[in-house]
Amino acid sequence: MVVVAILAAGRGTRMKSSLPKVLHCLGGRSLVERVIKSVEPLVPSRQLVIVGYQSQEVKAAMQSIPSLEFVEQAVQLGTGHAIQQLLPHLQGYTGDLLILNGDLPLIRTQTLQQLLQTHQENQNAVTILTAHLDDPKGYGRVFCSGDNLVQQIVEDKDCTAAQRQNCRINAGVYCFRWPSLAEVLPNLQANNAQKEYYLTDAVTQVGKVMAVDVDDYQEIVGINDRLQLATATAILQTRIKEKWMMAGVTLIDPGSITIDDTVEIQPDVVIEPQTHLRGHTVIETGCRLGPGSLIENSQLGENVTVHYSVVTDSIVQAETRIGPYAHLRGHVQVGNGCRIGNFVELKNTQLGDRSNVAHLSYLGDTTAGSQVNIGAGTITANYDGVKKHQTKIGDRTKTGSNSVLVAPLTLGDDVYVAAGSTVTEDVPDDSLVIARSRQVVKQGWRRKETGG
Ligand code: UD1
Ligand code: CA
């Protein structure tokens, strides 16, 4: 049994941001959300998140994750001070406490399991995760005796020039026997370069301290500034793309593609260069996406193609072709075997099976049936300057080029709209509507000559 505590109260000054550091996003999830995900499979008996800087925002961002307990650290006086706030919440607890920095988004569950195992097998008072880095700048340095027993942790800012040469660093993950930690927490002193209460000072006061090296040093990148955020993004992207390629997805020019790890992709999907898949997106088998496309929070059925287009918050059924240069947004639903073509925008619109909107159109707040053909340049005028209005288009209805459908409007089944019409009144089934001025031809007319 283990209780988990996540440190998420700091401001993250080095990010130079109005957003608290732990809410910065990496691959579709916030940093702290990633840490929480990494501990989930350990089935902790409690998960305590220490919040402070903009705590309302941080809590709101994690609202959807059940079973988190928030502990306030009203002023942020350091990582040791943060853990001191747990004392009233863990009274009488005699088990282990796994502590993780909230800015450690790439840590793997497996690594945490190894840490816990070493901790328990060796009956340590505390076991900490360490790594050997070529460039240890910014991290606390860990000094051990030969057998991985930790003697001292010195923060980068407190290091002497000689200490700074030590490349073994503290990753910011600790498994403490809680009663031992609880005993020393009240004694922490802030006599260091940052005038903070360091959790790392508690480490060497509790008894037997063991260090465990992480296998893959990329897991322990701590995010303190935008450079480290970019480094972590690159590491995560490599992980995600390797996973999908091994699962049968073709990526053409993987370096130019980004995929959030909230995305699901079936085998035999081809993703072309400069294509980005974000949020809760599901791509079914046989799809061909890109080049140059963005798909966010959307579901694409089998064999859908998307070229140079943007699809957000939408559902597209099988065999539909999208693009080039289409934009689907605001809860669009497109049926089977449709064609959404060049320079077409669909917003909050439903389209039945085998319907086409192939050229230069805008459909907003529209429900159209199956086998509908929206002619080139058809526009729904859905906004009267105050409110949005609905347009309904029946099955097999066809609009001529350059027609304007002024909402609210209903066109029945099998309606034909003559090219260039501005339709303002409902049209019943099986009708032709012509709503334009009649052509006038003045034969023999010539422009009168003026002047000499
Ligand atoms: C910390 C460690 C350092 C380690 C590094 C790993 C200490 C003293 N130092 O340094 O040894 O190498 O992490 O990345 O612990 N936080 C609070 N309350 C506070 C201060 C911080 O909750 O009062 C939280 C932050 O939100 C953050 C985490 O603690 O998630 C770590 O704080 P940060 O300031 O980033 O510590 P580092 O200087 O990186
Ligand atoms: Ca940090």
Side-chain angles (χ1 to χ4, degrees):
M1 188 183 70
V2 65
V3 170
V4 168
I6 295 166
L7 293 166
R11 173 178 181 173
T13 317
R14 290 165 278 181
M15 294 299 279
K16 308 223 163 69
S17 175
S18 59
L19 191 70
K21 175 168 74 174
V22 292
L23 293 190
H24 277 260
C25 242
L26 185 60
R29 290 186 217 276
S30 70
L31 301 182
V32 63
E33 225 181 305
R34 286 191 173 279
V35 177
I36 292 166
K37 270 221 143 310
S38 72
V39 299
E40 224 170 53
L42 305 174
V43 208
S45 52
R46 292 173 72 185
Q47 294 183 70
L48 302 143
V49 183
I50 299 151
V51 292
Y53 180 73
Q54 291 191 14
S55 62
Q56 292 311 323
E57 285 79 354
V58 176
K59 284 196 257 185
M62 288 189 273
Q63 225 174 12
S64 60
I65 310 172
S67 72
L68 297 181
E69 294 171 58
F70 294 100
V71 176
E72 289 277 346
Q73 183 194 16
V75 283
Q76 290 81 53
L77 304 179
T79 49
H81 179 256
I83 296 298
Q84 282 174 347
Q85 313 310 308
L86 298 182
L87 283 164
H89 298 270
L90 290 174
Q91 265 180 15
Y93 175 61
T94 55
D96 291 326
L97 179 69
L98 178 67
I99 300 175
L100 296 104
N101 283 357
D103 62 354
L104 197 76
L106 298 179
I107 192 80
R108 287 193 168 98
T109 305
Q110 204 187 337
T111 303
L112 300 175
Q113 274 158 342
Q114 279 162 9
L115 184 83
L116 289 177
Q117 200 182 341
T118 308
H119 179 72
Q120 282 150 9
E121 280 172 7
N122 293 281
Q123 303 193 342
N124 299 329
V126 56
T127 312
I128 69 167
L129 193 67
T130 56
H132 296 268
L133 297 187
D134 291 340
D135 179 13
K137 198 164 156 274
Y139 291 93
R141 308 296 205 280
V142 178
F143 297 86
C144 289
S145 58
D147 40 9
N148 285 330
L149 293 179
V150 178
Q151 272 150 358
Q152 207 187 358
I153 305 177
V154 186
E155 288 309 296
D156 189 62
K157 288 192 173 121
D158 299 308
C159 278
T160 62
Q163 285 172 323
R164 221 163 257 139
Q165 302 305 309
N166 179 1
C167 290
R168 192 170 196 181
I169 63 98
N170 168 28
V173 183
Y174 320 76
C175 186
F176 279 95
R177 196 189 296 147
W178 170 250
S180 313
L181 176 59
E183 211 178 292
V184 303
L185 273 178
N187 309 330
L188 291 179
Q189 302 291 320
N191 44 16
N192 50 55
Q194 304 187 81
K195 302 278 172 283
E196 285 185 359
Y197 297 90
Y198 289 165
L199 180 60
T200 44
D201 286 347
V203 169
T204 42
Q205 294 177 31
V206 291
K208 186 176 171 190
V209 189
M210 194 174 275
V212 175
D213 276 327
V214 66
D215 289 337
D216 173 6
Y217 72 91
Q218 293 190 325
E219 281 183 50
I220 56 84
V221 178
I223 313 297
N224 298 310
D225 56 33
R226 311 270 180 159
L227 271 175
Q228 285 169 322
L229 186 63
T231 304
T233 302
I235 295 168
L236 182 66
Q237 282 305 314
T238 304
R239 272 192 202 174
I240 294 170
K241 288 184 273 192
E242 281 178 8
K243 172 181 125 181
W244 290 121
M245 287 189 272
M246 295 317 283
V249 176
T250 297
L251 303 189
I252 300 171
D253 189 15
S256 75
I257 293 167
T258 62
I259 305 174
D260 282 357
D261 71 351
T262 41
V263 172
E264 290 290 325
I265 313 174
Q266 292 183 357
D268 285 327
V269 165
V270 177
I271 304 175
E272 300 212 42
Q274 303 290 351
T275 295
H276 308 283
L277 309 183
R278 294 186 190 157
H280 295 281
T281 287
V282 179
I283 311 291
E284 290 188 27
T285 189
C287 284
R288 193 166 187 113
L289 311 178
S293 295
L294 167 63
I295 296 161
E296 186 161 13
N297 295 325
S298 294
Q299 292 174 36
L300 307 188
E302 291 183 9
N303 303 321
V304 166
T305 61
V306 180
H307 296 140
Y308 292 107
S309 291
V310 176
V311 179
T312 57
D313 305 314
S314 296
I315 300 173
V316 178
Q317 305 286 355
E319 316 291 338
T320 284
R321 291 180 287 154
I322 294 174
Y325 309 107
H327 185 189
L328 279 61
R329 66 187 175 97
H331 308 288
V332 165
Q333 291 183 29
V334 179
N336 265 274
C338 294
R339 197 149 85 78
I340 312 301
N342 313 251
F343 305 102
V344 168
E345 179 180 359
L346 302 183
K347 189 222 66 173
N348 186 28
T349 283
Q350 290 83 46
L351 209 58
D353 295 340
R354 283 167 290 138
S355 289
N356 295 336
V357 192
H359 327 271
L360 301 160
S361 280
Y362 169 65
L363 298 187
D365 307 303
T366 298
T367 305
S370 59
Q371 289 174 269
V372 164
N373 191 72
I374 302 294
T378 298
I379 304 288
T380 54
N382 61 328
Y383 186 48
D384 61 12
V386 182
K387 271 183 156 172
K388 300 283 168 67
H389 298 281
Q390 297 285 323
T391 301
K392 291 204 176 85
I393 302 173
D395 294 338
R396 297 171 302 281
T397 285
K398 296 178 173 47
T399 65
S401 297
N402 218 31
S403 20
V404 180
L405 309 177
V406 181
L409 183 73
T410 300
L411 305 181
D413 295 339
D414 302 289
V415 166
Y416 286 76
V417 176
S421 291
T422 297
V423 186
T424 54
E425 280 161 42
D426 292 354
V427 181
D429 296 351
D430 294 306
S431 310
L432 166 68
V433 56
I434 308 168
R436 63 180 185 227
S437 48
R438 193 173 275 281
Q439 178 170 314
V440 177
V441 178
K442 298 190 177 179
Q443 213 176 1
W445 181 91
R446 284 236 170 91
R447 194 165 67 87
K448 292 211 169 61
E449 297 292 335
T450 52

